[in-house]
Amino acid sequence: TAATDRPPEGALMPSYVGHLVHRLARQAPARPVLVGADGRSLTRARLDERTSRLANAFLGAGLAPGDRVAVWMEDVPETVEVYLAAAKASLVGVPIGRLLAAPEAAYVLTDVGARALVTSQGLAERVAPALAATDHELDVLVALGEPGADRTARYEEPTRNSLCRLT
C-alpha cells in the first residue's frame, strides 16, 4: 500500500473513513457510488464534496470531535452522506430507527447525549414531539428537504453558516 493510501499521522480512526472517501473520489471521480430507490445517483467526487461540506458545517456549528450526531432518517442516499460526514469530522453518528415513535427517539437522544439531530422530511412530524418529550437540549437540528420550523436548517448544500444552532 502506498503511503498516500494511509490516513494522516495521528488521525483518529473515524477520520480514515473520510480519507478513504477522498481517495476513492480521486481514483474515479465520475464513477457512481450511491444510487437511490428513485434512480438518483451520486458520483464519488460529488459524494466527497457533499460530505466534506457537511462535515465542515457540523464543525462550524460548534460540534467537536467525539460529539454525537443522531441520525433519524428514512432510507435515502443522504443517510449515508450524514454518516460519512460525521466520520470526516470525527463525530459519532448514532442511528435512530425510522420506525421509532417520538418518545422512543427522545430516549435515544437523551441516552447518547446527542448534540445534533439530522432528520428527513418523512419523519419531520415526529421531531417536535420527540424534542418536547425530553429535557435534553440539542445544539444543532438539520432536516433533509425544504426548510422547516424556525429552529430547523436545510440539509441540502450546507455551508459553515447554514446549519441551525439552537439556543
Side-chain angles (χ1 to χ4, degrees):
T1 306
T4 58
D5 291 343
R6 295 189 192 127
E9 186 66 35
L12 297 172
M13 190 58 167
S15 298
Y16 183 73
V17 173
H19 178 76
L20 179 63
V21 171
H22 182 69
R23 188 185 72 182
L24 291 173
R26 283 194 334 254
Q27 289 175 349
R31 181 176 291 169
V33 67
L34 283 176
V35 180
D38 60 2
R40 289 181 301 141
S41 68
L42 200 61
T43 65
R44 287 179 174 184
R46 188 77 173 127
L47 178 68
D48 185 40
E49 176 187 324
R50 286 176 57 86
T51 56
S52 292
R53 185 177 293 127
L54 184 57
N56 286 326
F58 281 145
L59 296 173
L63 298 181
D67 284 343
R68 271 66 174 163
V69 176
V71 183
W72 196 13
M73 298 179 72
E74 299 163 296
D75 296 331
V76 293
E78 290 83 2
T79 304
V80 175
E81 291 180 15
V82 173
Y83 284 109
L84 291 174
K88 281 185 172 188
S90 295
L91 303 170
V92 179
V94 177
I96 298 179
R98 65 184 176 87
L99 299 178
L100 291 183
E104 296 165 322
Y107 174 82
V108 173
L109 290 170
T110 303
D111 190 53
V112 302
R115 288 205 47 216
L117 170 63
V118 181
T119 189
S120 55
Q121 218 165 16
L123 301 174
E125 65 189 29
R126 287 188 256 167
V127 172
L131 295 178
T134 181
D135 291 335
H136 181 73
E137 301 255 344
L138 293 172
D139 294 310
V140 178
L141 176 61
V142 182
L144 177 68
E146 293 305 313
D150 294 340
R151 294 172 33 148
T152 306
R154 188 172 177 206
Y155 170 85
E156 287 76 13
E157 304 302 329
T159 63
R160 281 196 119 110
N161 298 320
S162 72
L163 289 185
C164 183
R165 283 191 54 78
L166 303 179
T167 55

